[in-house]
Amino acid sequence: MTVMAKFSTLTHRALELYRKVFPIPCLLCGLATERDPLCQACIADLAYLGPACPRCALPLQTGQICGQCLRAPPPQHLSFSLFRYQGGIRRCITGFKFHQQLAFAHLFANLMSEQLQHREKLPDYLIPVPLHAMRLRRRGFNQSLEVARQLGKLLNIDCRPDLLRRIKATRAQSDLKFRQRKANLRGAFQCSSTKLPEHIALLDDVMTSGHTSAEAAKTLLNQGAKCVEVWTIARAIRHY
Ligand SMILES: [Zn+2]
Ligand SMILES: [Zn+2]
């Protein structure tokens, strides 16, 4: 176990103990909660994604490949997302990302693993989508790495944040028009390994246009991975 992982386990234990003595209010409804940052009722009430296109995670009742992916498939072979990015889940992810409410990393990883653990084949590596060093310094932590670390433990997959770097300080995708977004990300990532295993899952917080994860997936495929999946906490559903 690395020093960071040990530290993370210790912090988690301390947090659990603290919660027992001083229960804190559920972020969404205010009821006291012992373990998670949300109460059980709010967890059950979140906007789970449901049936979706297996390639891009766009909600689709039939669960088949969507028209967009048939016309122009993304580089990743599969996409999995836990929630729709709306309502309460937006508040949770904002709290997690910008207010460092780290208990969410455990909650999201637990919920993701419940849905993924029955898969016949799981990836060999789990790689969190990296932040550029400048953004990482500003924010203090990478939310995707926190979830990937927990999820890797639960699913028994190696979490390898060391393999992918963000080498371009891209502008926030939300500041750009749809057409500019792809160009903004071109060449944004660099993979430090030439011996990647065949099957890798990338982990990101939110999939919006999908350009970030697509660029990261492309980088891994160019370096020899055969099958790349994109796992996200939430999928933003927008019409461009
Ligand atoms: Zn609640
Ligand atoms: Zn699709």
Side-chain angles (χ1 to χ4, degrees), residues 19-236:
R19 283 287 173 76
K20 284 221 168 72
V21 188
F22 308 102
I24 64 152
C26 162
L27 181 82
L28 296 179
C29 75
L31 276 179
T33 142
E34 241 182 46
R35 259 187 62 229
D36 291 314
L38 302 181
C39 72
Q40 287 307 310
C42 285
I43 291 174
D45 245 15
L46 290 169
Y48 290 87
L49 188 72
C53 165
R55 195 93 198 223
C56 72
L58 187 81
L60 211 60
Q61 268 318 314
T62 59
Q64 285 173 334
I65 296 202
C66 74
Q68 173 66 29
C69 288
L70 284 174
R71 278 192 300 277
Q76 72 267 25
H77 296 79
L78 286 169
S79 294
F80 162 80
S81 205
L82 192 56
F83 301 112
R84 288 170 187 247
Y85 189 57
Q86 63 184 46
I89 200 64
R90 275 181 96 107
R91 281 174 59 196
C92 296
I93 291 181
T94 306
F96 176 35
K97 228 164 133 166
F98 299 106
H99 306 290
Q100 307 210 352
Q101 291 167 341
L102 279 168
F104 275 112
H106 293 271
L107 175 64
F108 294 146
N110 278 330
L111 295 171
M112 283 174 113
S113 99
E114 276 172 21
Q115 293 202 21
L116 291 161
Q117 65 187 348
H118 304 296
R119 288 260 203 101
E120 228 168 75
K121 198 177 174 311
L122 285 167
D124 307 298
Y125 283 174
L126 190 51
I127 300 183
V129 171
L131 298 175
H132 187 269
M134 259 161 31
R135 188 163 295 172
L136 184 62
R137 258 202 303 279
R138 249 199 329 262
R139 197 177 292 166
F141 81 121
N142 176 359
Q143 67 281 0
S144 304
L145 169 61
E146 298 303 322
V147 178
R149 204 181 267 145
Q150 302 303 328
L151 187 58
K153 266 191 246 165
L154 293 167
L155 296 175
N156 206 12
I157 305 175
D158 273 345
C159 173
R160 295 295 304 267
D162 53 313
L163 294 180
L164 197 64
R165 277 201 318 141
R166 199 158 183 147
I167 49 170
K168 199 168 138 188
T170 50
R171 289 172 60 191
Q173 288 291 87
S174 48
D175 293 345
L176 300 170
K177 292 206 173 83
F178 183 73
R179 273 163 198 229
Q180 298 170 315
R181 291 184 175 192
K182 218 169 169 176
N184 181 42
L185 283 156
R186 205 162 290 139
F189 299 99
Q190 188 180 56
C191 173
S192 62
S193 169
T194 48
K195 281 192 205 133
L196 291 175
E198 286 201 350
H199 189 180
I200 295 175
L202 281 162
L203 198 133
D204 206 359
D205 54 352
V206 181
M207 186 193 269
T208 308
S209 68
H211 287 139
T212 309
S213 44
E215 187 63 28
K218 231 191 286 169
T219 308
L220 298 176
L221 290 164
N222 286 341
Q223 288 294 106
K226 297 278 177 288
C227 172
V228 175
E229 301 193 29
V230 173
W231 294 355
T232 46
I233 303 165
R235 174 73 155 96

